[in-house]
Amino acid sequence: MKCTENWLKEYVAVEFGPDEIAARLTMLGLEVDAVEPLYPGLDGVCVGRVLSVTRHPNADRLSLCEVDDGGERPRRVVCGAPNVRPGMFTPLALPGAVLPGNFKIKASKIRGESSEGMLCADRELGLAEGQVESGGIMDLDPGEFPGLVPGAPLAQVLGLRDTMIEVDLTPNRPDCAGVIGLARELAGSAGLPLRQPEVSPPELAGSEPPFAVKVEAPDCLRYCARLIRGVKIAPSPWWLRRRLLAVGLRPINNVVDVTNYVMMEYGQPMHAFDFDRLAGGLIRVRRAEAGEKMTTLDGVERQLTPEMLLIADAAQAVAVAGIMGGSDSEVGLESVNILLESACFEAKSVRATAAALKLATDSSYRFERGVDPQAAPRALARAMKLIVSLAGGEVAPGGVDYREGVVDPPLLTLRLGRINDLLGTDLDLETVARHLAGIEIHGERLDDQALQIRPPSFRVDLEREVDLIEEVARLIGYDRIPTAMPMVAMEMPATADGDQRPRIKAIMAALGCYEAVNYSFVNPAHADWMGLDAADQRRRMLPLLNPLSEEQGVMRTTLLPGLLENARHNINHQCPDLRLFELGKVFFAEPSSALPREEERLAAVFGGRRHPGSPLLWEGEATVDLYDLKGLLEELLDGLRRSGPVLVPAEDPPPYALPGSCFNLNHEGGKLGECGKLHPRVLKAFGIKQELLYLDLSSSRLLALPATRPAFTPLPRFPSVKWDLALLVPEEVPAGEMLTVIRQAGGKLLEHVEIFDVYRGKNIEPGRKSVAFAIHYRDAERTLNEETVAVVHRKIIDQLVIRFHGQLREA
């Protein structure tokens, strides 16, 4: 949104300059992108008065002009403009001036005759007038510019000494898409009144209008229209052209320029139709028909769809509603009767149409954010008044004001206690009401602690009490809201499951893994590549209605295929050492519901060397194996403070896992996930030529397990005792179960136990293995003696021998 300093000051009498205006708007939450002086290249251009014009002796199309620039003697200037004549006032660029485009003016000889400057056309000064050709140098009319004096700075005479201010609006602030909206914010900040143009909404009831309007689509919330007869199309006066040029709009003619001016003023887009080119004197607000086309004002033929809202006459479409008019009803030099439209269309309808047509305009920019439906008649009245004053004509009696879609904003209760609680302030109700009234948000006092407010229609973003509280914070100034450190109790809070996602990612990263983030929509062929059974729930993929491509046609039911695609990409780019993980949602189609069932999962793939780049040769070439997965799982569970899950061999491994190399992570009989080696058949389907391991967990089920609370344990006062134990057991006995039995039998004296050796081979009969444990004992109250430890140690041995048919291995 662009405006100028002088334009703003027409509506609010602030005395500070553009930098202070930008600072205040910024503190009000309106980001100012640019503050730029307008037409800085005109400093060396003044008003010149042509005293005489003679023919150039050496060129048929050039003239020798004597020009008064207010100096002691006239300047001699060579000019090629066909419209130069004695007595005219025109811009004179003096030697040393630098015009737009870095065009430097200097004294020179042209065809043998000296020239001390240049008489300028509007385009050479950056004051282009769009479709209206000037036909030569700029002719300054004393009637339009009273008090023209030779030598006066041109920027001063033309009122060009101004500053452009550009504001980057957020989508929730359409009220600031007009200069009046920005002025309202500035007035509220400065405590000054807002001065709006004096117009009265037109009386549209009573007389029957000489045209008809039929609204056939609910996307049109309001539609106001009025007919003006007998206008004379001509270039706009300079003040209007200057305003439009300053904000980057191209002047067209007096009628079109007025609609653009009012749009920039009120933030209300408008459109003018050549009434004589509307078939049947009818306006229909309808949706497009299948296969319908129309040519817009930019000369492009547009293919329309039935979802698009149009303005049509009795025969054809004449405008894309809220975006751009059609060439068949364009206002031109021959237009006499003008039908003026001021409407409000639903924001999402205009947004969807603009996106589909790839057509962004100043009008769609405003409608997409939400236009005030109550502004339509005021803007119509303002435009009618300006058109009649600039183009003549007479407003025909009667008009149309369709307002079936206008809904009053909801009544909101604003509580003083809630304001002060959220902002940490000590405001009183009178101060709150005064600040809100400064931006035209008025309330009725319910009691000493609350206001009842119906938000103004131009503030479509105010829907809740907290929205009003945000307005109070903006208006009193964010820099004036006190800061205070929050009260934090010195205790360990219970952590919510949702807060553990960053923790999971941090643990995985600390273990040397890299996070992957993949699309949730994947290739439907993934289920076949993974070898999933026909009854597997992961085949219940939800298809997308409008997929980006065939390879992204369904919602994912597992994270593994995406990671395998990542692995293939890395391996193909000579990065075979992989530790990739992804934490994200999977989606399962449910026949009984329109929405899929969602589940949060954690998946990872591993491959290549365990310690790539290690300087130790014996360590650098070792590859990752199942023990790496086991260790990673243990660290993950320990970091999340989840105890109880155990790894057990999978009795029925999934089809994508290598049989005999797959393990389930179980807890109390329920499965939390699995890990293992990927089947070579699956790797081949994904185009991977090296061995990979995988991990796939339900993070939501894992986080649902109760977390152990950390507790402080004082440092031990008495020494520990370490006894070793080696036991011969059958090969199929899991070492983890042996650890569990040792911990149970050791009781409170057992402090720590770990496996330090597993041996198979010489002196060990086939089918058996030797498992050696280091057991640490400690008593918190006294020093242990050998007899006490021996009793507990013997109990552990007896339990292991009985439970696992073990045999104590002597040293």
Side-chain angles (χ1 to χ4, degrees):
M1 170 62 197
K2 293 181 179 180
C3 66
T4 71
E5 176 191 358
N6 293 342
W7 202 349
L8 273 173
K9 288 182 176 180
E10 286 188 9
Y11 309 119
V12 55
V14 294
E15 296 182 355
F16 39 78
D19 291 335
E20 177 66 15
I21 290 175
R24 286 179 180 256
L25 291 176
T26 299
M27 291 306 297
L28 288 168
L30 302 170
E31 182 182 354
V32 177
D33 277 353
V35 178
E36 299 175 355
L38 288 171
Y39 308 109
L42 301 185
D43 290 342
V45 183
C46 68
V47 174
R49 182 170 183 268
V50 180
L51 300 177
S52 66
V53 179
T54 59
R55 184 176 175 180
H56 193 292
N58 302 317
D60 293 338
R61 296 186 179 181
L62 297 179
S63 302
L64 298 179
C65 304
E66 296 289 327
V67 183
D68 181 8
D69 67 344
E72 296 181 356
R73 64 173 183 83
R75 288 182 178 270
R76 195 179 194 197
V77 178
V78 176
C79 178
N83 66 329
V84 64
R85 69 182 187 279
M88 75 181 296
F89 288 89
T90 188
L92 171 64
L94 301 174
V98 181
L99 301 184
N102 199 32
F103 183 62
K104 299 177 181 178
I105 304 299
K106 57 184 179 180
S108 62
K109 282 193 174 184
I110 301 177
R111 293 291 185 95
E113 297 293 333
S114 61
S115 182
E116 303 174 285
M118 186 176 81
L119 302 181
C120 302
D122 46 13
R123 294 183 184 277
E124 295 164 334
L125 299 174
L127 306 176
E129 300 198 13
Q131 295 178 354
V132 181
E133 293 292 342
S134 61
I137 58 176
M138 195 171 181
D139 190 353
L140 302 177
D141 183 2
E144 190 171 7
F145 305 102
L148 282 176
V149 177
L154 182 71
Q156 178 180 326
V157 170
L158 299 186
L160 297 177
R161 296 198 186 281
D162 203 349
T163 302
M164 188 276 293
I165 301 171
E166 184 173 6
V167 180
D168 186 10
L169 297 181
T170 53
N172 66 320
R173 293 304 305 273
D175 58 299
C176 291
V179 182
I180 290 177
L182 293 176
R184 180 186 295 114
E185 294 286 304
L186 206 56
S189 170
L192 296 171
L194 178 67
R195 304 179 299 198
Q196 296 201 43
E198 295 183 5
V199 294
S200 299
E203 181 58 51
L204 301 179
S207 302
E208 191 70 23
F211 59 92
V213 173
K214 293 182 179 180
V215 177
E216 303 171 8
D219 299 351
C220 179
L221 307 180
R222 190 164 193 173
Y223 196 94
C224 301
R226 201 74 188 265
L227 179 63
I228 306 176
R229 297 186 183 278
V231 301
K232 180 175 177 54
I233 305 299
S236 298
W238 170 248
W239 70 266
L240 180 52
R241 302 201 310 272
R242 181 191 69 213
R243 280 283 160 81
L244 298 181
L245 289 168
V247 295
L249 295 180
R250 180 170 58 93
I252 306 295
N253 58 53
N254 46 10
V255 170
V256 175
D257 293 350
V258 164
T259 63
N260 286 331
Y261 178 81
V262 174
M263 176 185 69
M264 297 302 300
E265 189 175 45
Y266 282 88
Q268 169 66 52
M270 306 190 68
H271 189 67
F273 298 98
D274 185 332
F275 181 70
D276 297 323
R277 299 172 70 180
L278 294 177
L282 173 66
I283 287 290
R284 293 177 61 199
V285 185
R286 62 169 175 83
R287 295 194 184 279
E289 299 172 354
E292 189 171 4
K293 298 180 180 181
M294 71 166 290
T295 301
T296 47
L297 286 172
D298 56 1
V300 178
E301 186 179 63
R302 308 283 177 180
Q303 179 68 57
L304 308 174
T305 64
E307 295 79 22
M308 298 177 180
L309 188 66
L310 301 179
I311 310 299
D313 59 17
Q316 62 183 352
V318 294
V320 182
I323 300 176
M324 185 178 283
S327 60
D328 290 335
S329 60
E330 180 180 6
V331 173
L333 293 174
E334 71 287 351
S335 300
V336 176
N337 302 313
I338 302 299
L339 183 68
L340 201 58
E341 166 197 284
S342 181
C344 178
F345 305 111
E346 195 172 61
K348 64 180 181 181
S349 172
V350 176
R351 189 182 309 121
T353 301
L357 294 177
K358 296 181 176 60
L359 185 59
T361 63
D362 290 296
S363 177
S364 67
Y365 174 85
R366 287 159 176 81
F367 277 120
E368 287 176 18
R369 285 159 171 76
V371 167
D372 175 13
Q374 304 293 0
R378 291 197 303 272
L380 181 65
R382 172 70 163 160
M384 286 180 356
K385 182 178 180 180
L386 289 172
I387 288 175
V388 170
S389 66
L390 300 180
E394 181 181 4
V395 179
V400 171
D401 184 5
Y402 171 89
R403 49 174 304 150
E404 303 265 333
V406 178
V407 179
D408 288 335
L411 275 172
L412 303 176
T413 299
L414 180 60
R415 297 165 292 173
L416 184 63
R418 184 62 173 158
I419 296 172
N420 289 326
D421 286 347
L422 284 181
L423 302 184
T425 53
D426 188 22
L427 299 172
D428 58 73
L429 201 61
E430 182 180 348
T431 300
V432 170
R434 185 178 70 252
H435 279 296
L436 291 175
I439 56 172
E440 299 184 343
I441 301 176
H442 302 286
E444 179 182 343
R445 197 176 186 125
L446 293 178
D447 51 40
D448 292 340
Q449 295 296 313
L451 292 171
Q452 188 176 61
I453 294 174
R454 189 181 297 278
S457 58
F458 57 81
R459 289 303 302 270
V460 296
D461 58 315
L462 301 182
E463 300 175 344
R464 304 169 298 167
E465 180 187 28
V466 71
D467 296 329
L468 293 172
I469 295 175
E470 182 181 3
E471 293 302 295
V472 175
R474 288 194 315 115
L475 294 168
I476 65 173
Y478 295 121
D479 55 334
R480 297 182 183 177
I481 296 177
T483 57
M485 295 300 291
M487 293 290 293
V488 180
M490 295 297 291
E491 62 183 21
M492 178 64 69
T495 306
D497 289 348
D499 296 334
Q500 291 284 26
R501 285 174 52 88
R503 180 65 182 156
I504 292 176
K505 293 181 180 182
I507 294 171
M508 296 296 287
L511 294 171
C513 300
Y514 292 89
E515 183 181 6
V517 179
N518 291 305
Y519 286 114
S520 296
F521 23 94
V522 298
N523 193 335
H526 282 170
D528 296 328
W529 297 353
M530 297 287 288
L532 299 179
D533 297 332
D536 196 309
Q537 69 165 348
R538 286 170 290 191
R539 280 194 174 273
R540 298 207 308 266
M541 298 178 177
L542 185 71
L544 298 177
L545 294 177
N546 186 24
L548 297 177
S549 66
E550 293 182 3
E551 288 73 26
Q552 295 178 315
V554 295
M555 301 296 288
R556 65 186 179 187
T557 56
T558 171
L559 301 179
L560 283 175
L563 290 173
L564 291 176
E565 299 270 15
N566 302 147
R568 179 187 63 206
H569 180 83
N570 279 270
I571 294 169
N572 290 345
H573 288 76
Q574 301 181 5
C575 296
D577 303 313
L578 301 168
R579 284 176 180 258
L580 295 173
F581 80 93
E582 182 170 10
L583 180 64
K585 288 184 178 181
V586 295
F587 309 85
F588 300 98
E590 294 289 346
S592 59
S593 173
L595 297 176
R597 176 172 61 85
E598 300 180 11
E599 182 181 346
E600 192 98 35
R601 297 195 71 86
L602 170 67
V605 293
F606 304 87
R609 295 172 293 175
R610 178 179 293 126
H611 302 291
S614 172
L616 304 176
L617 294 178
W618 62 271
E619 187 179 68
E621 296 305 317
T623 58
V624 293
D625 55 24
L626 290 171
Y627 292 105
D628 292 283
L629 281 183
K630 175 177 178 292
L632 182 141
L633 272 173
E634 290 174 349
E635 291 293 333
L636 178 62
L637 293 172
D638 185 62
L640 295 174
R641 305 200 308 275
R642 263 60 176 185
S643 59
V646 293
L647 269 180
V648 296
E651 296 180 359
D652 185 18
Y656 48 81
L658 188 65
S661 300
C662 181
F663 298 85
N664 290 341
L665 183 68
N666 292 344
H667 180 73
E668 297 182 354
K671 180 180 174 181
L672 300 178
E674 64 196 38
C675 66
K677 289 184 180 180
L678 284 161
H679 200 289
R681 180 186 65 252
V682 174
L683 296 175
K684 182 179 180 181
F686 280 89
I688 298 172
K689 298 179 181 180
Q690 73 174 53
E691 184 180 87
L692 290 180
L693 293 91
Y694 78 96
L695 168 69
D696 188 10
L697 301 177
S698 172
S699 56
S700 55
R701 294 181 204 168
L702 178 62
L703 294 175
L705 301 178
T708 58
R709 294 175 66 86
F712 172 75
T713 302
L715 295 174
R717 293 184 297 155
F718 301 97
S720 65
V721 176
K722 182 173 80 74
W723 284 27
D724 293 341
L725 169 62
L727 201 69
L728 293 172
V729 294
E731 180 66 48
E732 63 272 10
V733 172
E737 292 186 16
M738 299 175 70
L739 286 172
T740 301
V741 170
I742 292 173
R743 293 189 182 102
Q744 293 173 348
K748 65 178 183 179
L749 290 185
L750 189 143
E751 182 181 58
H752 177 65
V753 58
E754 61 185 9
I755 300 173
F756 69 87
D757 182 52
V758 178
Y759 176 72
R760 305 173 183 85
K762 187 178 179 181
N763 299 327
I764 303 295
E765 61 183 281
R768 295 177 73 82
K769 62 184 175 182
S770 171
V771 184
F773 304 91
I775 307 175
H776 299 259
Y777 301 98
R778 193 194 302 269
D779 193 323
E781 303 298 331
R782 60 189 176 90
T783 301
L784 289 172
N785 55 41
E786 188 171 349
E787 292 79 9
T788 303
V789 175
V791 171
V792 178
H793 200 69
R794 172 48 58 182
K795 181 180 177 182
I796 291 173
I797 294 173
D798 292 343
Q799 290 288 334
L800 291 173
V801 170
I802 294 171
R803 180 75 176 272
F804 302 109
H805 306 289
Q807 176 185 350
L808 187 65
R809 186 184 178 198
E810 302 294 339

